[in-house]
Amino acid sequence: MAVSAIRDWTPVLDVPLAFGAPVAGALVGRLAGLYPSLRASRREPVAALRS
């Protein structure tokens, strides 16, 4: 938006992309955290604190 304003361009915002990007980011974040959380849930708490 700043570049558009500086260069006197008309800013264009793709509405589906504006709403889809946060959803895609949340999905990627959940998938990235799924494996470590499943792995951690299989460990005993005492063993996790010792290591």
Side-chain angles (χ1 to χ4, degrees), residues 2-49:
V3 173
S4 297
I6 291 169
R7 299 204 178 238
D8 293 326
W9 293 344
T10 303
V12 178
L13 178 65
D14 188 16
V15 176
L17 184 62
F19 288 110
V23 172
L27 182 63
V28 168
R30 286 182 182 199
L31 289 175
L34 184 63
Y35 175 69
S37 65
L38 289 175
R39 204 171 124 203
S41 70
R42 292 187 187 118
R43 294 187 75 181
E44 290 291 325
V46 173
L49 289 173

